[in-house]
Every structure is written in structure tokens, then in C-alpha cells.
Amino acid sequence: MRHLDAALRHGLQALGLTLHDQRVTALLGYLELIQKWTQVYNLTAVRDPVEMLTHHLLDSLAVIEPLRRVLAEQEAGQEGGSPGWHRLLDVGSGAGLPGVVIAICCPDISVDCVDTVGKKAAFIRQVAASLKLPNLRGIHARVERLTDKYQVVSSRAFASLADFTQWSQAALADQGVWLAMKGKHPADEIAALPASVEVFHVEPLTVPGLGAERCTVWMRTRRA
């Protein structure tokens, strides 16, 4: 575990992220829970702890600063701020990536992870209980059937941008944004988006130790 702690801290430094020791410990605890549950429920195809650290934790951690920046920009654009802004829905969350990582790093964001597989939603609830994360919730449902509204709706390797935005449209709050984590720049997917969806930013990400392209695609309902 010590080598994972050192690798995680090195990755955080490379990403320019400063986290309290308690949150670093929680991230490593989360990694242990993924390893344990994957033996029974096959949460992820990645089994090696070091590979999990890079492909799962650091990959998800790379989105934290961009997310914080967008949240700050949204609040700055609203008179007096918006205390209800910090609600995020992670769609097709699976093992909780990036939802659980966001919940650990950003205690001011209430994170709901939705998945159609009951055992995966149960895993998220176990993570919330084990790591004492009151801002994390696992939901077993189809995203189309949710009635709550969220200021950020995220996904990681979930579906095409068109399907992702269509299925989660009803969950997006007024002035809310979609956050899609992708590999290489998804030009074809962006071109296939309906006219009602506007891409306002595509940001390349550099994941420490991962020699592959990554980016975030930020979208919103097109303004009249």
C-alpha cells in the first residue's frame, strides 16, 4: 500500500491537486474496495492495483480542477451565487468513476451515481458507508426515469455524446452542463449532436503515467 500512496501523491502533484491526507487515504480505501468487490462482481476489467491507480483514480482525478473551474465560472455568472449549484449526477457510473472520486475530493458537491445494474449501485452505497461520505449516493435506476435536477451531469466511457445527452436531458437543471470524459477528441460524436445541444469547451487532459489521449467535452442546452 505504501507504494500506491507514493504513486498517488506523485500523480496528484503532477495534476496540480492539493488534497488533505484524509482524502488521499479515502482514495486509497476506495481503490481497495474496488479490488475487493471486483473479485466477486467484476466491477472492472483492470485488476492490477498499480494499473487501477493510473487508469481509474488518476484518470478521474484529472477532471477535478476543470470541474472546479466550471463551477466557479457558473457561480460568478449568477447574482449572489447559487447554493443549489453543487449537485452532480454521474451516469452509468459502474464502479463510481468519476463520481466517487469527485465526492471524495469535493465535499461541497452532492454526488449521485446512477447505474442500471443493482450490484454496482449497491457498491456505491457500500463505498459511501465505508468511507463515511455523506455527499455520495448510489441509485439503481435508468437515468431517463430520474426526477431530480442536477447542475452537472457527467459520464465516463458511457455512451455516444448524442445518446448521453438525450437520455439524461430531463435530469439536467436550468443552466446546467454536461461533462463527458472521452479518449481522443470525439469530432464525429460532436458532429452528430442535435442542434439543441451546444459544445462550449473541449479540454485535453494529461493523466500522469497514462500514455493515451484524454479529454473532457463540456456541453449545455443551446441558448436561444
Side-chain angles (χ1 to χ4, degrees), residues 172-196:
L172 192 70
D174 292 342
Q175 310 300 318
V177 296
W178 284 288
L179 161 60
M181 297 180 67
K182 291 288 183 178
K184 65 180 182 179
H185 189 291
D188 292 344
E189 290 186 33
I190 290 174
L193 284 168
S196 60

Side-chain angles (χ1 to χ4, degrees), residues 6 19 31 34 52 61 64 68 77 102 116-117 133 138-139 144 182 188 205 209 213 219:
L19 294 180
L31 196 64
I34 294 178
M52 279 187 183
L61 284 163
I64 297 298
R68 286 173 173 168
I102 293 171
T116 57
V117 179
L133 298 171
I139 302 174
E144 302 96 315
K182 291 288 183 178
D188 292 344
L205 299 177
E213 291 183 70
M219 299 164 286

Side-chain angles (χ1 to χ4, degrees), residues 57-207:
L57 285 194
L58 293 178
D59 190 51
S60 295
L61 284 163
V63 81
I64 297 298
E65 280 304 318
L67 173 62
R68 286 173 173 168
R69 185 179 66 248
V70 168
L71 287 170
E73 290 171 353
Q74 289 282 346
E75 286 190 341
Q78 298 177 24
E79 186 176 350
S82 178
W85 164 249
H86 301 299
R87 292 200 72 201
L88 181 144
L89 176 68
D90 191 27
V91 180
S93 193
L97 302 157
V100 171
V101 174
I102 293 171
I104 291 172
C105 296
C106 306
D108 57 328
I109 300 178
S110 176
V111 178
D112 285 353
C113 295
V114 63
D115 203 285
T116 57
V117 179
K119 290 175 181 178
K120 292 180 178 178
F123 171 69
I124 300 302
R125 291 193 284 269
Q126 182 61 49
V127 171
S130 297
L131 301 182
K132 297 179 173 56
L133 298 171
N135 61 325
L136 176 66
R137 186 170 65 144
I139 302 174
H140 176 213
R142 296 188 64 85
V143 64
E144 302 96 315
R145 297 180 181 174
L146 299 183
T147 56
D148 286 353
K149 297 290 186 180
Y150 300 84
Q151 286 71 35
V152 181
V153 179
S154 69
S155 73
R156 176 181 181 265
F158 168 64
S160 69
L161 295 178
D163 285 343
F164 168 48
T165 53
Q166 178 186 349
W167 295 338
S168 61
Q169 174 70 58
L172 192 70
D174 292 342
Q175 310 300 318
V177 296
W178 284 288
L179 161 60
M181 297 180 67
K182 291 288 183 178
K184 65 180 182 179
H185 189 291
D188 292 344
E189 290 186 33
I190 290 174
L193 284 168
S196 60
V197 177
E198 172 189 23
V199 174
F200 65 91
H201 186 45
V202 179
E203 182 168 355
L205 299 177
T206 300
V207 180

